[in-house]
Amino acid sequence: MLEDVVKKKIDETRQGEAFSSTIYHTDKSIKKFYIESYGCAMNFSDSEIVASILHQNGFGPTKNLEEASLILINTCSIREKAEQTVRKRLTDFKKLKQQNKSILIGVLGCMAERLKTKFLEEEKLVDLVIGPDAYRSLPQLIAEAGDGQKGVNVLLSREETYADIAPVRLDSNGISAFISIMRGCNNMCSFCVVPFTRGRERSRDAQSIVQEAQNLFDQGYREVTLLGQNVDSYKAPPPPKGGSWETTSSLLKENTIKKSELQSPSFGGVGEAEVVTFAQLLELVAQVNPLLRVRFSTSHPKDITDEVLYTIAEYDNICNYIHLPVQSGNTRILELMNRTYTREWYVERINRIREIIPDCGISSDVIAGFCSETEAEHQDTLSIMEYCQYNMSYMYYYSERPGTLAERKYADDVPEETKKRRLHEIVELQNKLSLQSNQNDIGKVFKVLIEGDSKRSSNDWKGRSSQNKLIVFPKNNMPLLKGGYVLVKINDCTQTTLLGEIIDQSSSYSHL
Ligand code: SAM
Ligand code: SF4
């Protein structure tokens, strides 16, 4: 029962998805690769970079395991359960390998980085082990593995951003795409393996990001999500001077970066030069076209600035939605987690968001049962969730990860049943908040970007509001296309979906 509640709530719909595209399906002469992705959006985005590297080296994607000569699994290490899922999947691949020895099997991503050569020893069938910063070496390692040598490259880099690689969009709806703006993380939250598996933080240059957004827009995409583990600490050298690169916001012009900020520990330092901040990057991407919606993830409560909030408020096409993981509502636990903010700080940030962007959708990540968490401290998490009125949360119980600060310093001493019970209470509360938030939207009108047919019926469209809420509404034989915008009035809702009707299609713009 509990498992059901948890599964339903955590958005697992894309986990293990096999990506493909139609580009090469008919060409039998081309070698095929099959790739499954697990974990966060960053991994799904990385799989598109891997696809691009393979494409340039004569491989085409397939969704059909049986026709693949290369099987890749892009892995996640964030919780033990994520790693168990991958190991189980590898045993399925084993059967294929037993039937056809020439198939190559590769493990990519965070688990590859964490386990390194251990993978070759433990999972005997694996031919390739490649960490998140080593995807450029894939073609060479594939060639070596084809000659019988096992290929391992788990070197982390301080520079790699794959900025020059145009991702091959896999199984996209043709409307929404991810753009990776930075890699790694310098934060060292005590529960988290990411700094160990993805290395030091580095920002991709702004010019290549804006160019990627422009190319996507030209191809018909109408929404981009800028991805990073901590987007607010994005800092990159400025693009070349010139009219189109100048930011226009008066607020941003008044806020050039000061020398003292350049020396902050999370920044590698570019001397006295100006840098592009996340707020400025948001503005540059928003200026690509007013019809291109801009989203981003993930924001860190210690780093999100008023500058970012004002930029969101200033541009209609920057969505009014912020994912601001709280993790815990108790200051002592936040300190043990090394989150570097207090409950009061977090609440102040939420108040500021509500002040500057009154209709902003806010979501969160929450961890139940961190080391030494008491019942009263758990209640603090519930009360901060009530205060923040999250639209949605990703909720987990604490899973100790090898090598993390918490594993080395603290006892994982909250019993599993207690962790699960607390998580259950968190999930139940979030369900209530989500339903309330949706009920509050009944009678309101939202501008919706049409993403395609609804899951349940081809007579209905599905799309999202700026606040990232899923909205379903009847097509009513109107001549609309996905990628267009319509005004939808909300008449009803469930906990996860708003249900409405089109009241104005004059705001609809076809992308074709
Ligand atoms: N960088 C983002 C941030 O700071 O919020 C999120 C990165 S992490 C991939 C996504 C979420 O996984 C975290 O926000 C946290 O809630 C959860 N998580 C990370 N490590 C965990 C652990 N050891 N046990 C349970 N949940 C964990
Ligand atoms: Fe992990 Fe913290 Fe970095 Fe997020 S900010 S990736 S939780 S270390």
Side-chain angles (χ1 to χ4, degrees):
M1 166 65 184
L2 171 68
E3 289 299 310
D4 285 349
V5 181
V6 174
K7 258 191 217 143
K8 206 170 104 211
K9 203 53 224 165
I10 299 171
D11 181 12
E12 299 263 289
T13 51
R14 300 197 67 199
Q15 296 299 305
E17 205 171 290
F19 274 3
S20 187
S21 79
T22 47
I23 314 173
Y24 289 108
H25 272 199
T26 49
D27 191 341
K28 295 261 181 259
S29 66
I30 282 171
K31 284 180 286 179
K32 303 287 195 303
F33 72 91
Y34 170 98
I35 186 164
E36 273 182 21
S37 305
Y38 292 83
C40 62
M42 190 64 95
N43 258 10
F44 285 77
S45 171
D46 277 4
S47 290
E48 298 186 331
I49 288 168
V50 167
S52 176
I53 292 169
L54 291 172
H55 170 198
Q56 280 160 20
N57 286 274
F59 279 87
T62 178
K63 254 186 171 179
N64 181 0
L65 253 180
E66 278 74 34
E67 66 173 2
S69 51
L70 173 65
I71 297 174
L72 298 172
I73 183 159
N74 198 350
T75 61
C76 171
S77 281
I78 206 87
R79 281 168 296 278
E80 198 184 343
K81 189 166 167 281
E83 292 201 353
Q84 283 165 357
T85 309
V86 167
R87 286 188 194 276
K88 192 165 162 292
R89 196 62 185 131
L90 281 171
T91 60
D92 297 337
F93 297 157
K94 198 174 197 164
K95 291 174 200 135
L96 283 172
K97 179 104 175 166
Q98 278 161 354
Q99 286 158 23
N100 178 357
K101 297 246 176 320
S102 69
I103 292 176
L104 294 180
I105 295 182
V107 178
L108 313 177
C110 291
M111 226 175 139
E113 193 61 51
R114 196 178 82 71
L115 293 166
K116 302 184 172 64
T117 49
K118 262 200 217 157
F119 238 119
L120 297 180
E121 294 146 26
E122 288 170 14
E123 307 286 338
K124 297 267 186 271
L125 79 159
V126 171
D127 303 288
L128 301 163
V129 179
I130 305 178
D133 286 346
Y135 296 143
R136 284 181 204 267
S137 64
L138 249 170
Q140 191 199 333
L141 293 177
I142 290 169
E144 287 169 11
D147 294 339
Q149 258 175 281
K150 303 278 180 195
V152 181
N153 188 347
V154 287
L155 286 177
L156 286 172
S157 159
R158 279 180 177 255
E159 286 94 34
E160 181 62 271
T161 60
Y162 300 111
D164 58 316
I165 295 180
V168 168
R169 305 291 163 185
L170 296 167
D171 264 6
S172 144
N173 60 5
I175 304 300
S176 315
F178 293 132
I179 301 183
S180 192
I181 63 163
M182 58 207 293
R183 300 181 72 81
C185 183
N186 285 357
N187 277 333
M188 299 306 266
C189 299
S190 65
F191 51 79
C192 185
V193 286
V194 169
F196 306 100
T197 58
R198 289 192 158 264
R200 304 289 292 170
E201 180 184 290
R202 67 223 94 119
S203 297
R204 176 179 164 187
D205 71 286
Q207 187 169 8
S208 73
I209 295 169
V210 175
Q211 191 57 56
E212 190 172 330
Q214 181 69 59
N215 293 346
L216 285 163
F217 184 79
D218 295 343
Q219 289 162 31
Y221 284 82
R222 289 295 175 265
E223 182 177 82
V224 292
T225 302
L226 308 181
L227 290 181
Q229 293 298 350
N230 181 6
V231 289
D232 301 292
S233 65
Y234 175 89
K235 284 190 187 74
K241 291 274 178 227
S244 62
W245 291 105
E246 296 291 337
T247 54
T248 53
S249 157
S250 50
L251 178 98
L252 294 178
K253 282 199 170 135
E254 285 160 19
N255 282 282
T256 45
I257 303 299
K258 294 181 202 79
K259 195 180 165 203
S260 57
E261 284 166 285
L262 289 177
Q263 265 134 29
S264 79
S266 64
F267 182 57
V270 290
E272 301 261 355
E274 262 184 47
V275 294
V276 179
T277 63
F278 181 58
Q280 289 165 323
L281 179 72
L282 264 182
E283 183 170 41
L284 288 167
V285 178
Q287 287 173 351
V288 164
N289 195 294
L291 291 181
L292 183 71
R293 274 189 169 176
V294 186
R295 299 187 184 277
F296 55 90
S297 185
T298 302
S299 299
H300 196 296
K302 80 172 158 61
D303 291 320
I304 189 166
T305 59
D306 286 1
E307 209 185 347
V308 166
L309 303 182
Y310 281 119
T311 307
I312 298 170
E314 190 168 338
Y315 283 84
D316 267 355
N317 59 329
I318 303 180
C319 290
N320 291 351
Y321 171 65
I322 299 176
H323 184 61
L324 196 69
V326 68
Q327 314 295 0
S328 164
N330 177 269
T331 297
R332 187 187 75 89
I333 294 295
L334 287 170
E335 200 175 321
L336 292 184
M337 287 176 164
N338 199 25
R339 288 290 288 180
T340 67
Y341 54 85
T342 59
R343 178 184 173 97
E344 291 69 32
W345 173 280
Y346 186 90
V347 165
E348 188 279 332
R349 289 288 80 200
I350 293 289
N351 293 345
R352 203 73 179 122
I353 293 172
R354 300 271 184 232
E355 209 178 303
I356 297 172
I357 318 162
D359 63 343
C360 195
I362 305 178
S363 59
S364 190
D365 291 353
V366 183
I367 298 179
F370 187 66
C371 310
S372 77
E373 184 190 70
T374 65
E375 213 48 46
E377 289 165 340
H378 163 61
Q379 290 301 323
D380 285 344
T381 297
L382 296 175
S383 70
I384 208 166
M385 290 175 69
E386 284 268 10
Y387 183 84
C388 299
Q389 296 283 306
Y390 297 127
N391 293 3
M392 191 274 288
S393 291
Y394 295 104
M395 297 156 285
Y396 318 95
Y397 59 80
Y398 174 59
S399 162
E400 186 177 80
R401 306 309 293 130
T404 55
L405 235 74
E407 188 245 0
R408 285 181 275 136
K409 279 174 74 176
Y410 311 124
D412 179 13
D413 54 2
V414 177
E416 187 156 324
E417 318 82 78
T418 310
K419 283 184 189 174
K420 287 187 172 174
R421 194 252 307 147
R422 288 181 190 167
L423 177 60
H424 183 68
E425 289 171 13
I426 287 168
V427 170
E428 291 282 279
L429 173 59
Q430 184 55 59
N431 287 348
K432 186 188 92 177
L433 295 176
S434 301
L435 182 62
Q436 269 172 9
S437 163
N438 282 355
Q439 284 168 339
N440 290 341
D441 286 339
I442 293 176
K444 292 185 190 162
V445 173
F446 293 98
K447 186 172 172 182
V448 176
L449 172 62
I450 303 174
E451 289 175 12
D453 287 355
S454 99
K455 232 186 215 167
R456 295 234 172 110
S457 162
S458 58
N459 294 325
D460 293 337
W461 289 118
K462 70 168 178 189
R464 275 174 200 275
S465 66
S466 173
Q467 292 76 7
N468 206 30
K469 286 194 180 176
L470 183 66
I471 304 186
V472 171
F473 49 98
K475 292 182 177 175
N476 283 348
N477 297 321
M478 288 185 207
L480 297 170
L481 289 169
K482 66 178 187 171
Y485 289 96
V486 277
L487 292 182
V488 176
K489 183 171 179 224
I490 306 306
N491 300 323
D492 201 355
C493 72
T494 67
Q495 191 187 295
T496 52
T497 313
L498 298 175
L499 307 166
E501 60 181 327
I502 298 171
I503 58 158
D504 184 2
Q505 51 169 311
S506 59
S507 57
S508 172
Y509 311 86
S510 158
H511 71 290
L512 297 173

